[in-house]
Amino acid sequence: MKDPRIGTLAKNLINYSVKLQKGEKILIENFGLQRELVNALVNEAYAAGGYPFVLLKDHQVDRALLMGAKEEQYKMMGEFEANVMKQMDAYIGLRAGDNINEQSDVPSEKMAIHGQTVGKVHRNIRVPKTKWVVLRYPTNSMAQLAKMSTEAFEDFYFEVCNLDYGKMSAAMDNLVDLMDKTDKVRLTGPGTDLTFSIKDIKAIKCAGELNIPDGEVYTAPVKDSINGVISYNTPSPYQGFTFENVKLTFKDGKIVEAVANDTARINKIFDTDEGARYVGEFAIGVNPYILHPMQDILFDEKIDGSFHFTPGQCYDDAFNGNHSDIHWDLVNIQRPEYGGGEIHFDDVLIRKDGRFVLPELENLNPENLK
């Protein structure tokens, strides 16, 4: 029997997230073959009067390609995918896999080739020029990382992904307004005391239109304004390796010291290009159903009571001038069980231990979003 929650998710993705209109072309890209949801998306796209196109990929095949990758080959790959993406009005990226470490042994120079060619299709075409949404799909591997049974994880997944994002969107408006008026931000907590400016950089709310699950408001720091130290308290998979105990020291916007469970490896990532040692995003997570890290950034960056502070490429709609081939969402959770912490805007406390304390922001606390 088909799970009716898949149909609900497909309807939400087509009609709410990308708002597909009659005659529009949509690319459905699936890493890991999830036929039931892909078929449901195709059917909903047709029902909306759109033209669905499907691109199927596999993580193990992708690894095999990357191991022998040549610049000329991936340049052609990038041109091929760019030609397809340029013709699309909308995009849904469906990601699923059985092994988060599938690419852990791919040499960093091969990963860089991918980022400099195929990766630019998404940064330069898909993100600015299509209506897009990216999501994960539940697998046994994801349930294991979340330390849950498969059935319990599926229930959690659909609860998170099918929540009332319209309600969340309205609740975010006051935070967006406040961030747009803010100059100085200070983040404090165990191993963290960081200051920076977000003056004149737009705040953007994310409530189910770009990511599923969703639940964050993001902006970017003024590029050279960051000073201090930040310690991240969630594991973070990146390029096939899970980093832990990441601690970054900033001076005038630049990462001048980086340590982790593999300090040499993390510094190699930050040496990818000049922009990799600067930050392209600051975001506050508010999803009431996501409470603990599960080594999947689409979930972890939305954790209730969290923020993420992202080395690398900024977004065009919250532009701070930083360009890089990396964009790494590193997460800190400030709820009491993770050590607590505070966020101040212009010397006013707005969130303490993961809960908003200003009356106009209380609608973003978890009991008001469920």
Side-chain angles (χ1 to χ4, degrees), residues 11-239:
K11 282 184 172 68
N12 291 341
L13 291 167
I14 293 294
N15 299 305
Y16 176 81
S17 297
V18 301
K19 297 178 175 63
L20 193 69
Q21 302 299 307
K22 184 177 181 179
E24 288 186 329
K25 300 179 291 295
I26 181 169
L27 177 63
I28 302 163
E29 184 180 51
N30 180 203
F31 262 102
L33 189 55
Q34 304 299 326
R35 292 185 183 89
E36 194 169 3
L37 181 53
V38 171
N39 289 343
L41 289 168
V42 167
N43 292 335
E44 287 298 330
Y46 279 137
Y51 301 117
F53 296 79
V54 175
L55 182 59
L56 303 178
K57 296 185 176 182
D58 181 87
H59 290 290
Q60 292 185 32
V61 173
D62 200 42
R63 175 191 172 277
L65 285 167
L66 285 166
M67 292 298 283
K70 302 292 189 298
E71 286 189 22
E72 181 180 2
Q73 167 202 9
Y74 268 73
K75 183 180 179 181
M76 291 179 65
M77 243 184 242
E79 291 171 352
F80 167 76
E81 296 200 10
N83 286 333
V84 173
M85 196 71 75
K86 286 176 183 177
Q87 299 180 64
M88 296 296 131
D89 302 292
Y91 170 91
I92 293 177
L94 173 59
R95 311 286 190 256
D98 296 324
N99 182 2
I100 65 167
N101 298 313
E102 191 63 60
Q103 297 177 353
S104 61
D105 55 352
V106 177
S108 58
E109 61 270 19
K110 302 295 187 182
M111 296 298 297
I113 289 173
H114 180 277
Q116 292 161 9
T117 53
V118 177
K120 287 185 177 179
V121 174
H122 292 267
R123 290 193 299 274
N124 297 342
I125 303 173
R126 186 259 292 177
V127 171
K129 297 180 180 180
T130 73
K131 300 181 292 183
W132 60 271
V133 64
V134 176
L135 70 154
R136 297 291 191 265
Y137 193 78
T139 64
N140 292 340
S141 175
M142 289 176 68
Q144 188 174 39
L145 289 168
K147 299 180 173 60
M148 299 171 70
S149 69
T150 302
E151 183 176 351
F153 182 76
E154 287 177 353
D155 290 339
F156 160 75
Y157 174 87
F158 286 109
E159 187 175 51
V160 167
C161 292
N162 287 333
L163 63 77
D164 187 346
Y165 282 112
K167 179 181 179 181
M168 175 184 283
S169 178
M172 287 175 167
D173 287 338
N174 287 339
L175 179 57
V176 169
D177 290 343
L178 179 59
M179 291 173 75
D180 283 342
K181 298 172 185 174
T182 296
D183 177 1
K184 181 183 175 183
V185 177
R186 185 181 182 192
L187 308 175
T188 59
T192 296
D193 194 343
L194 197 73
T195 60
F196 53 94
S197 173
I198 57 173
K199 186 177 181 180
D200 297 329
I201 299 177
K202 183 65 179 171
I204 307 296
K205 62 180 179 179
C206 298
E209 295 181 310
L210 299 179
N211 288 170
I212 294 291
D214 217 342
E216 66 173 278
V217 177
Y218 72 84
T219 182
V222 174
K223 185 175 175 181
D224 61 357
S225 70
I226 311 164
N227 285 284
V229 179
I230 183 169
S231 297
Y232 299 95
N233 57 11
T234 65
S236 182
Y238 196 75
Q239 296 183 352

Side-chain angles (χ1 to χ4, degrees), residues 132-353:
W132 60 271
V133 64
V134 176
L135 70 154
R136 297 291 191 265
Y137 193 78
T139 64
N140 292 340
S141 175
M142 289 176 68
Q144 188 174 39
L145 289 168
K147 299 180 173 60
M148 299 171 70
S149 69
T150 302
E151 183 176 351
F153 182 76
E154 287 177 353
D155 290 339
F156 160 75
Y157 174 87
F158 286 109
E159 187 175 51
V160 167
C161 292
N162 287 333
L163 63 77
D164 187 346
Y165 282 112
K167 179 181 179 181
M168 175 184 283
S169 178
M172 287 175 167
D173 287 338
N174 287 339
L175 179 57
V176 169
D177 290 343
L178 179 59
M179 291 173 75
D180 283 342
K181 298 172 185 174
T182 296
D183 177 1
K184 181 183 175 183
V185 177
R186 185 181 182 192
L187 308 175
T188 59
T192 296
D193 194 343
L194 197 73
T195 60
F196 53 94
S197 173
I198 57 173
K199 186 177 181 180
D200 297 329
I201 299 177
K202 183 65 179 171
I204 307 296
K205 62 180 179 179
C206 298
E209 295 181 310
L210 299 179
N211 288 170
I212 294 291
D214 217 342
E216 66 173 278
V217 177
Y218 72 84
T219 182
V222 174
K223 185 175 175 181
D224 61 357
S225 70
I226 311 164
N227 285 284
V229 179
I230 183 169
S231 297
Y232 299 95
N233 57 11
T234 65
S236 182
Y238 196 75
Q239 296 183 352
F241 179 84
T242 300
F243 290 88
E244 298 182 14
N245 303 316
V246 175
K247 182 178 181 180
L248 306 179
T249 302
F250 288 86
K251 183 176 181 182
D252 298 331
K254 186 175 183 178
I255 298 170
V256 295
E257 183 180 11
V259 297
N261 56 329
D262 191 331
T263 294
R265 189 167 188 152
I266 199 170
N267 277 280
K268 198 166 185 178
I269 292 171
F270 292 140
D271 289 336
T272 298
D273 50 40
E274 182 178 356
R277 285 190 178 266
Y278 290 84
V279 170
E281 181 189 2
F282 162 60
I284 296 174
V286 299
N287 193 299
Y289 292 110
I290 309 176
L291 300 178
H292 306 290
M294 48 177 286
Q295 298 187 47
D296 188 311
I297 193 57
L298 277 183
F299 283 77
D300 292 356
E301 68 179 356
K302 317 303 188 324
I303 289 173
D304 173 58
S306 74
F307 69 83
H308 52 279
F309 203 65
T310 304
Q313 178 69 33
C314 66
Y315 290 115
D316 288 344
D317 53 5
F319 189 71
N320 74 345
N322 197 46
H323 297 285
S324 177
D325 283 332
I326 79 165
H327 179 92
W328 188 2
D329 293 310
L330 289 158
V331 178
N332 181 289
I333 306 171
Q334 292 187 309
R335 300 199 317 275
E337 62 266 41
Y338 287 91
E342 297 181 351
I343 299 176
H344 287 79
F345 286 175
D346 291 328
D347 299 319
V348 175
L349 179 67
I350 68 128
R351 198 179 76 177
K352 181 178 177 61
D353 294 342

